[in-house]
PDB file of all heavy atoms in Angstrom:
ATOM      1  N   SER D 322     185.551 -96.131  35.787  1.00  0.00           N
ATOM      2  CA  SER D 322     186.900 -96.612  35.956  1.00  0.00           C
ATOM      3  C   SER D 322     187.826 -95.443  36.241  1.00  0.00           C
ATOM      4  O   SER D 322     188.720 -95.529  37.064  1.00  0.00           O
ATOM      5  CB  SER D 322     187.354 -97.358  34.724  1.00  0.00           C
ATOM      6  OG  SER D 322     186.516 -98.434  34.434  1.00  0.00           O
ATOM      7  N   LEU D 323     187.576 -94.291  35.560  1.00  0.00           N
ATOM      8  CA  LEU D 323     188.425 -93.136  35.761  1.00  0.00           C
ATOM      9  C   LEU D 323     188.179 -92.501  37.137  1.00  0.00           C
ATOM     10  O   LEU D 323     189.100 -92.038  37.823  1.00  0.00           O
ATOM     11  CB  LEU D 323     188.166 -92.144  34.670  1.00  0.00           C
ATOM     12  CG  LEU D 323     188.429 -92.562  33.235  1.00  0.00           C
ATOM     13  CD1 LEU D 323     188.079 -91.539  32.233  1.00  0.00           C
ATOM     14  CD2 LEU D 323     189.925 -92.951  33.113  1.00  0.00           C
ATOM     15  N   VAL D 324     186.909 -92.519  37.567  1.00  0.00           N
ATOM     16  CA  VAL D 324     186.576 -91.938  38.860  1.00  0.00           C
ATOM     17  C   VAL D 324     187.150 -92.771  39.995  1.00  0.00           C
ATOM     18  O   VAL D 324     187.606 -92.254  41.023  1.00  0.00           O
ATOM     19  CB  VAL D 324     185.052 -91.837  39.031  1.00  0.00           C
ATOM     20  CG1 VAL D 324     184.657 -91.339  40.437  1.00  0.00           C
ATOM     21  CG2 VAL D 324     184.524 -90.806  37.980  1.00  0.00           C
ATOM     22  N   LEU D 325     187.191 -94.115  39.752  1.00  0.00           N
ATOM     23  CA  LEU D 325     187.678 -94.993  40.829  1.00  0.00           C
ATOM     24  C   LEU D 325     189.213 -94.942  40.967  1.00  0.00           C
ATOM     25  O   LEU D 325     189.742 -95.281  42.090  1.00  0.00           O
ATOM     26  CB  LEU D 325     187.279 -96.439  40.482  1.00  0.00           C
ATOM     27  CG  LEU D 325     185.797 -96.830  40.712  1.00  0.00           C
ATOM     28  CD1 LEU D 325     185.548 -98.168  40.016  1.00  0.00           C
ATOM     29  CD2 LEU D 325     185.531 -97.004  42.171  1.00  0.00           C
ATOM     30  N   MET D 326     189.918 -94.525  39.998  1.00  0.00           N
ATOM     31  CA  MET D 326     191.367 -94.604  39.994  1.00  0.00           C
ATOM     32  C   MET D 326     191.978 -93.955  41.199  1.00  0.00           C
ATOM     33  O   MET D 326     192.899 -94.549  41.821  1.00  0.00           O
ATOM     34  CB  MET D 326     191.912 -93.949  38.715  1.00  0.00           C
ATOM     35  CG  MET D 326     193.350 -94.236  38.413  1.00  0.00           C
ATOM     36  SD  MET D 326     193.617 -95.887  37.707  1.00  0.00           S
ATOM     37  CE  MET D 326     192.950 -95.605  36.032  1.00  0.00           C
ATOM     38  N   PRO D 327     191.600 -92.703  41.616  1.00  0.00           N
ATOM     39  CA  PRO D 327     192.265 -92.085  42.752  1.00  0.00           C
ATOM     40  C   PRO D 327     192.000 -92.848  44.095  1.00  0.00           C
ATOM     41  O   PRO D 327     192.615 -92.492  45.135  1.00  0.00           O
ATOM     42  CB  PRO D 327     191.623 -90.654  42.833  1.00  0.00           C
ATOM     43  CG  PRO D 327     191.123 -90.438  41.418  1.00  0.00           C
ATOM     44  CD  PRO D 327     190.665 -91.778  40.955  1.00  0.00           C
ATOM     45  N   GLY D 328     191.082 -93.797  44.110  1.00  0.00           N
ATOM     46  CA  GLY D 328     190.762 -94.464  45.280  1.00  0.00           C
ATOM     47  C   GLY D 328     191.920 -95.283  45.900  1.00  0.00           C
ATOM     48  O   GLY D 328     191.958 -95.586  47.066  1.00  0.00           O
ATOM     49  N   GLY D 329     192.905 -95.563  45.045  1.00  0.00           N
ATOM     50  CA  GLY D 329     194.069 -96.351  45.512  1.00  0.00           C
ATOM     51  C   GLY D 329     195.028 -95.549  46.346  1.00  0.00           C
ATOM     52  O   GLY D 329     195.956 -96.167  46.969  1.00  0.00           O
ATOM     53  N   ARG D 330     194.808 -94.226  46.438  1.00  0.00           N
ATOM     54  CA  ARG D 330     195.759 -93.390  47.237  1.00  0.00           C
ATOM     55  C   ARG D 330     195.457 -93.389  48.696  1.00  0.00           C
ATOM     56  O   ARG D 330     196.303 -92.936  49.494  1.00  0.00           O
ATOM     57  CB  ARG D 330     195.722 -91.970  46.689  1.00  0.00           C
ATOM     58  CG  ARG D 330     196.114 -91.847  45.231  1.00  0.00           C
ATOM     59  CD  ARG D 330     195.880 -90.445  44.714  1.00  0.00           C
ATOM     60  NE  ARG D 330     196.137 -90.300  43.302  1.00  0.00           N
ATOM     61  CZ  ARG D 330     195.927 -89.206  42.589  1.00  0.00           C
ATOM     62  NH1 ARG D 330     195.411 -88.162  43.131  1.00  0.00           N
ATOM     63  NH2 ARG D 330     196.182 -89.165  41.292  1.00  0.00           N
ATOM     64  N   GLY D 331     194.275 -93.828  49.076  1.00  0.00           N
ATOM     65  CA  GLY D 331     193.913 -93.804  50.487  1.00  0.00           C
ATOM     66  C   GLY D 331     193.361 -92.473  50.917  1.00  0.00           C
ATOM     67  O   GLY D 331     193.277 -91.535  50.173  1.00  0.00           O
ATOM     68  N   GLY D 332     193.083 -92.381  52.204  1.00  0.00           N
ATOM     69  CA  GLY D 332     192.565 -91.082  52.781  1.00  0.00           C
ATOM     70  C   GLY D 332     191.109 -90.824  52.444  1.00  0.00           C
ATOM     71  O   GLY D 332     190.422 -91.628  51.765  1.00  0.00           O
ATOM     72  N   SER D 333     190.648 -89.671  52.930  1.00  0.00           N
ATOM     73  CA  SER D 333     189.161 -89.370  52.733  1.00  0.00           C
ATOM     74  C   SER D 333     188.887 -89.129  51.286  1.00  0.00           C
ATOM     75  O   SER D 333     187.794 -89.466  50.815  1.00  0.00           O
ATOM     76  CB  SER D 333     188.886 -88.125  53.585  1.00  0.00           C
ATOM     77  OG  SER D 333     189.686 -87.018  53.183  1.00  0.00           O
ATOM     78  N   LEU D 334     189.797 -88.517  50.496  1.00  0.00           N
ATOM     79  CA  LEU D 334     189.508 -88.276  49.119  1.00  0.00           C
ATOM     80  C   LEU D 334     189.467 -89.617  48.326  1.00  0.00           C
ATOM     81  O   LEU D 334     188.664 -89.761  47.429  1.00  0.00           O
ATOM     82  CB  LEU D 334     190.621 -87.351  48.499  1.00  0.00           C
ATOM     83  CG  LEU D 334     190.561 -85.932  48.964  1.00  0.00           C
ATOM     84  CD1 LEU D 334     191.757 -85.128  48.267  1.00  0.00           C
ATOM     85  CD2 LEU D 334     189.213 -85.260  48.606  1.00  0.00           C
ATOM     86  N   GLY D 335     190.328 -90.550  48.732  1.00  0.00           N
ATOM     87  CA  GLY D 335     190.262 -91.881  48.074  1.00  0.00           C
ATOM     88  C   GLY D 335     188.958 -92.577  48.405  1.00  0.00           C
ATOM     89  O   GLY D 335     188.372 -93.188  47.496  1.00  0.00           O
TER      90      GLY D 335
END
Side-chain angles (χ1 to χ4, degrees):
S322 303
L323 299 176
V324 174
L325 285 165
M326 194 81 71
R330 300 174 184 173
S333 57
L334 291 179

